[in-house]
Amino acid sequence: MMQQTELNQIHRDADGKMVDFAGWDMPLHYGSQRDEHHFVRQDAGMFDVSHMTVIDLRGKAVRRFLRHLLANDVLRLKAPGKALYSCMLREDGGVIDDLIVYFIDEQYYRMVVNAGTTEKDVAWIESRLVDGIDMRVRDDLAMLAIQGPNARQKAMQAMSEEMAWIADEIAVFVGAFCDDWFIARTGYTGEDGFEITLPETEVADFWSALVRESVKPCGLGARDTLRLEAGMNLYGMDMDESTSPLESGLGRTVAWEPAERGFIGREALEQQEAKGVERRFAGILLEDKGVMRAHQKVLTTEGHGELTSGGFSPTLNRSIGFARIPKGDSVACDVEVRGKRLKARIVKLPFVRNGKICIEL
Amino acid sequence: MSEIPADLRYSKSHEWVRAEGDLVIVGITDHAQAALGDMVYVETPETGDRLKAEEACAVVESVKAASDIYSPTSGEIVDSNSNLVDNPELVNDDPYGDGWIFQMRTDNASALEELMDAEAYETFCEEE
């Protein structure tokens, strides 16, 4: 039996094409994945991301605990509500999950982790939990991502006046509580917007209010092409327990300083760093016609690598992807697509940010 | 419910076939295009290609995945739809018209009789 979010019937009534995503029955699209993609880039779209898991950690020891648990350093979070992206690593440097952690106050942090990894994440955290920390998996909460250049304005129109007043003040990569709603200015599309965590008993009404403000329901298909254009990694595709953040384009999310902070996986990453990381992670733009897909072979003058994600970019009208390839300076490469060698180019990520194309076509 | 024109023949791999004598036009069905989602790329066969029945000869790529298109019969490609190069969405918008994929001259016209008619294809889609 697949798990369902509170909005399952609403998705079905809206002609959502439902698929199994990590054991959850979720909408892939509601008619046209491409239209939904453009809507987010140009106006405002919304995603039901209630399958993701909110974990609240409270207690006197919580900051010290998270500084040990995560590769990024929560000490960087000074202002209440501030968010931090981090990997959670195994001792050998493999990535257990990537997540967002919010600093609510000295004794309260909120983490949002992936749906497919929730069980192992919770088990991992529990096995390392120390006295003085209360961990709660918040399966009473729903989560919506409202994204696009007009997303904040439209979302605020769907809120009470008091809540909109609070939401309007929220800075980029910060979240704030309004009663039991948590409104964060974060996302996974490369556009401005909110990710809102709220009691699941209230999510259907808010979804309807957003529909009335002409925010377009979007499925996981558009979410994937949007994050790909935005150069954002997807756990399980671009990194997993067999790869380190240093070869997944996530080196900048590992906080080396201060040197005495002994986070889980640090020693392994230091050894990799000392030995030299042999593979780099880069964007790939297909010059020829066709569509690249994950796991296809990438051939460079330094050797060959593999696409970790690939697909079609509606904004660029070209195929794009991410690849793990041998270290080097080569720009031109070939990609083996269905038995043919196609011309492609290695580019710096992201491809698109805030509606603008960031690379030369 | 997807559209299934009564005057066409259908394969189990969801191609439709319009036959006039030994000339055969092939595309994918409305049911297939809806299942695949927005088309982003179509690779058509070359004129002059000789095909066996059920041979993979074209590719449609949607936002989701790539799918092979199979030749419904043996014969030679005489034309393919060049409009699809820049407008792959024609396959979604008009699967039985402007979204046709290729035309072939069959050397075994009687084999087409073995394809499903509209009624049989409808049942096939329901059971699948």
Side-chain angles (χ1 to χ4, degrees):
Chain A
M1 182 64 193
M2 261 193 283
Q3 301 194 75
Q4 297 184 352
T5 73
E6 195 66 22
L7 296 174
N8 190 275
Q9 194 56 49
I10 289 178
H11 298 320
R12 290 175 175 278
D13 292 345
D15 280 336
K17 182 177 163 59
M18 307 302 283
V19 294
D20 178 356
F21 181 84
W24 289 79
D25 187 42
M26 300 299 284
L28 183 66
H29 60 74
Y30 301 84
S32 169
Q33 179 175 324
R34 181 173 13 205
D35 290 353
E36 290 164 20
H37 180 107
H38 288 312
F39 221 83
V40 171
R41 284 276 176 256
Q42 292 157 14
D43 189 355
M46 60 178 165
F47 305 85
D48 178 14
V49 288
S50 306
H51 57 309
M52 297 185 75
T53 303
V54 176
I55 300 173
D56 281 343
L57 293 162
R58 291 171 189 264
K60 282 201 167 71
V62 66
R63 184 156 73 192
R64 201 173 35 176
F65 175 67
L66 287 173
R67 293 192 74 203
H68 177 62
L69 185 74
L70 303 178
N72 211 336
D73 189 357
V74 296
L75 199 64
R76 289 177 174 182
L77 301 171
K78 307 282 189 206
K82 187 80 179 150
L84 185 76
Y85 174 87
S86 181
C87 289
M88 182 162 73
L89 304 178
R90 306 197 311 193
E91 299 289 355
D92 68 1
V95 183
I96 295 170
D97 202 4
D98 67 334
L99 54 90
I100 299 274
V101 57
Y102 296 93
F103 166 58
I104 311 298
D105 65 42
E106 297 291 324
Q107 298 189 25
Y108 180 11
Y109 288 79
R110 167 168 283 187
M111 287 188 351
V112 180
V113 304
N114 283 304
T117 51
T118 295
E119 243 174 84
K120 69 165 183 173
D121 289 353
V122 170
W124 177 263
I125 298 167
E126 262 174 353
S127 72
R128 270 147 191 86
L129 221 49
V130 294
D131 282 347
I133 296 175
D134 173 52
M135 166 164 128
R136 269 187 71 196
V137 177
R138 299 295 306 269
D139 45 20
D140 56 323
L141 299 177
M143 199 186 314
L144 299 183
I146 305 125
Q147 303 277 297
N150 301 326
R152 288 173 60 239
Q153 195 203 339
K154 288 184 173 183
M156 288 188 284
Q157 279 161 4
M159 293 172 184
S160 70
E161 208 171 311
E162 185 210 352
M163 189 179 290
W165 193 79
I166 292 171
D168 198 21
E169 295 294 312
I170 298 172
V172 172
F173 228 57
V174 173
F177 273 106
C178 179
D179 297 324
D180 44 8
W181 289 37
F182 186 71
I183 305 165
R185 198 162 162 195
T186 50
Y188 194 47
T189 61
E191 298 297 325
D192 200 357
F194 290 131
E195 289 179 304
I196 300 179
T197 310
L198 69 168
E200 63 180 9
T201 49
E202 296 173 47
V203 69
D205 283 348
F206 187 50
W207 182 272
S208 303
L210 289 163
V211 168
R212 283 195 294 277
E213 297 299 334
S214 76
V215 179
K216 190 181 175 73
C218 299
L220 295 179
R223 192 169 157 81
D224 190 49
T225 50
L226 287 158
R227 70 95 193 167
L228 198 56
E229 287 185 349
M232 294 171 167
N233 290 39
L234 174 60
Y235 187 80
M237 299 289 290
D238 306 313
M239 70 290 195
D240 58 25
E241 296 196 1
S242 71
T243 53
S244 114
L246 305 181
E247 53 186 9
S248 308
L250 299 172
R252 73 201 142 69
T253 72
V254 176
W256 298 106
E257 299 291 330
E260 62 273 18
R261 185 178 69 97
F263 62 87
I264 300 172
R266 177 170 196 135
E267 269 178 50
L269 294 193
E270 279 175 347
Q271 282 168 16
Q272 283 176 25
E273 193 80 332
K275 240 173 63 186
V277 181
E278 281 158 16
R279 297 185 290 180
R280 61 173 168 147
F281 190 84
I284 306 287
L285 173 73
L286 191 65
E287 311 262 24
D288 284 335
K289 289 212 175 257
V291 184
M292 302 184 293
R293 305 285 180 184
H295 309 304
Q296 287 169 348
K297 202 169 172 184
V298 180
L299 302 108
T300 74
T301 49
E302 290 97 10
H304 64 80
E306 188 182 280
L307 286 163
T308 56
S309 285
F312 186 78
S313 157
T315 306
L316 274 54
N317 211 24
R318 294 268 283 274
S319 179
I320 59 172
F322 305 154
R324 198 171 278 118
I325 49 177
K327 263 239 149 77
D329 312 314
S330 55
V331 173
C333 64
D334 285 350
V335 180
E336 273 184 18
V337 178
R338 301 173 61 83
K340 284 185 192 163
R341 270 198 184 198
L342 302 183
K343 281 205 180 338
R345 179 155 39 104
I346 299 162
V347 299
K348 196 167 171 276
L349 295 169
F351 298 98
V352 180
R353 220 13 103 82
N354 293 317
K356 302 261 185 324
I357 296 172
C358 307
I359 55 157
E360 245 177 85
L361 284 181
Chain B
M1 205 41 229
S2 68
E3 194 194 338
I4 304 176
D7 58 333
L8 304 180
R9 289 277 180 170
Y10 300 90
S11 71
K12 285 183 177 162
S13 43
H14 300 281
E15 289 88 11
W16 58 260
V17 171
R18 177 178 286 126
E20 287 168 18
D22 61 352
L23 276 181
V24 175
I25 299 177
V26 180
I28 66 165
T29 65
D30 189 28
H31 174 86
Q33 71 78 20
L36 293 169
D38 292 329
M39 292 301 162
V40 293
Y41 177 63
V42 180
E43 192 180 298
T44 54
E46 301 282 333
T47 299
D49 283 358
R50 295 207 55 85
L51 301 171
K52 291 185 286 234
E54 294 176 13
E55 183 177 346
C57 62
V59 181
V60 291
E61 294 232 20
S62 71
V63 281
K64 210 167 74 182
S67 307
D68 285 314
I69 305 298
Y70 300 93
S71 172
T73 171
S74 56
E76 184 179 331
I77 298 291
V78 292
D79 197 8
S80 62
N81 187 353
S82 56
N83 285 332
L84 297 180
V85 175
D86 291 319
N87 305 291
E89 66 278 6
L90 289 172
V91 174
N92 297 114
D93 298 344
D94 191 9
Y96 299 111
D98 291 343
W100 67 279
I101 295 173
F102 60 88
Q103 189 180 37
M104 64 192 297
R105 188 179 301 279
T106 177
D107 51 25
N108 185 8
S110 62
L112 298 172
E113 298 299 316
E114 285 163 30
L115 297 172
M116 289 177 273
D117 62 12
E119 203 180 322
Y121 180 64
E122 188 175 345
T123 311
F124 177 75
C125 288
E126 280 164 10
E127 283 169 359
E128 203 184 33

